[in-house]
Amino acid sequence: LWRLGYCARLLKTNHFRTAASNTSFPAVWMLLAQHSGRIPGLFVVVKKNTFFTMPETVEDKTNAELYLPHPGVRGMTLLNREAFKRTVVVPALKVKKEIVHSVLKSLKQSILQRPGLKRVVEDPEDEDSRFVILDPHKVPEFSLGESEQQVLKQLNVHPEVSKYHLELTYENFKSEEILRAVLPQGQEVTSGFSRVGHIAHLNLRDHQLPYRHLIGQVIMDKNPGITCVVNKTNIIDSTYRNFEMEVLAGENNLVTKVKENNISYELDFSKVYWNPRLCTEHGRIVELLKAGDFLFDVFAGIGPFAIPAAKRKCRVFANDLNPESYTWLLHNCKLNKVDTKVKAFNMDGRDFLRGPVRGELSKELPLLKEEQKTAFHIVMNLPALAVEFLDVFRHLLVGEPCSPAGLPTVHCYGFSKHSDPARDIQERAEAALGTSLAGRCSTFLVRNVAPNKEMLCLSFQIPADVLYKRPCP
């Protein structure tokens, strides 16, 4: 189990180092995530254009300068693209232009394979010839091996390797290489960012702040489609779940459009909460629903649970305290043509549970028959505070309990820094409900938010003795 856990952590680490497109985890990782107590859960399956990292450069010890900008850029805070130019000496093979294709095909293991650099360049002294640029890693001593020489002999090409002066510019370097050259030596430069439509969202560390505008411009230059780069400047506001941000580069336009699980949403990123890393979790909960079920979304945001649930022909009640979120929720319901299927509210979560939710449960639960399979789901996605709202369910309804199958299922999200996060969130929920959930709940590890901080989802059916207050005889 320890070995499996270790492998799972490696898988998670490697997954987030590079940009992913339509990535999915193998079945074994699903099992590990669900059954291990300390593996950091089923982390978000990253969709295209949602979460990216600037890939780390593999250092070339034998020819490091090929991957490094001009050393004079160290400490630069205002981007000067011209300053990154440098010329390096690389091995090259002079061949007749009519056999260039054959040479490329025959020596493909030795050809320079660096994105953005031409593998074939003109010979300024001979218009009938071309220089084929070789990889200095593969041809370190400017001489080819026996096998390559035999191939060239068959093609009637002289195997002598020339020294070619290759000019590198800003466009030839990767984001990671540029930032590693600019920031002080030894400081961390790899920086992940979320992509929300045309916006790249950063969480820069203190030592990176003096270079923040340069970093923003580099990210915008190296990622087509990004026209605005922002940095979070404080923690998320616990009331409305949005945060202050500074525009580092590009246009000051924070109204954007995103697509998640084939559903489009529009939002003002500066005024509402949106996290592309929760794409898979949204889909996981919605997959539990079937046509005719009820969904009560207590902290609905702009509708990532509510709208796809309505698309599945569920009866949806969605609420958010933030007036901006409520406005965009209505807008997105209309955008996705489910505005007649979602009842939206702009209330405090407690008032929503004690008002519309209690009213609907009081009306619908007594009508349930044994053979009916209608399910009631209550989603509480406010990880910082949601557990504190669970006490509302104590004696929320009055009367005789319905059948056990009809009891509402709660999906409550929370953060934990505990060494056993699943046990921690369960115990906190039990304290709020005033009862034990042992054997009556499941915990799903959603994602790792920060070192030693997990986001979890606790799912359970509200016990009848908690939900109902029986009338006095």
Side-chain angles (χ1 to χ4, degrees), residues 455-470:
M455 178 179 175
L456 307 94
C457 177
L458 179 72
S459 297
F460 61 92
Q461 276 193 299
I462 309 174
D465 57 343
V466 173
L467 184 63
Y468 283 92
K469 179 181 180 181
R470 298 191 181 188

Side-chain angles (χ1 to χ4, degrees), residues 75-134:
M76 178 187 294
T77 56
L78 184 63
L79 183 62
N80 176 9
R81 297 175 182 83
E82 289 296 314
F84 287 82
K85 283 185 178 179
R86 74 176 305 172
T87 301
V88 295
V89 178
V90 295
L93 199 63
K94 184 174 180 178
V95 300
K96 294 296 182 182
K97 63 180 182 180
E98 58 267 16
I99 62 169
V100 165
H101 180 72
S102 299
V103 172
L104 290 175
K105 187 175 180 181
S106 302
L107 297 181
K108 58 183 179 181
Q109 298 299 325
S110 301
I111 303 297
L112 182 65
Q113 301 290 341
R114 183 157 173 82
L117 290 179
K118 292 182 178 180
R119 296 179 297 170
V120 180
V121 295
E122 293 184 356
D123 182 350
E125 298 178 357
D126 185 356
E127 62 179 20
D128 294 327
S129 298
R130 298 289 184 267
F131 280 113
V132 175
I133 308 299
L134 303 176

Side-chain angles (χ1 to χ4, degrees), residues 69-76 80 83-84 178 181-183:
H70 193 282
V73 302
R74 180 77 66 192
M76 178 187 294
N80 176 9
F84 287 82
I178 292 172
V182 169
L183 269 66

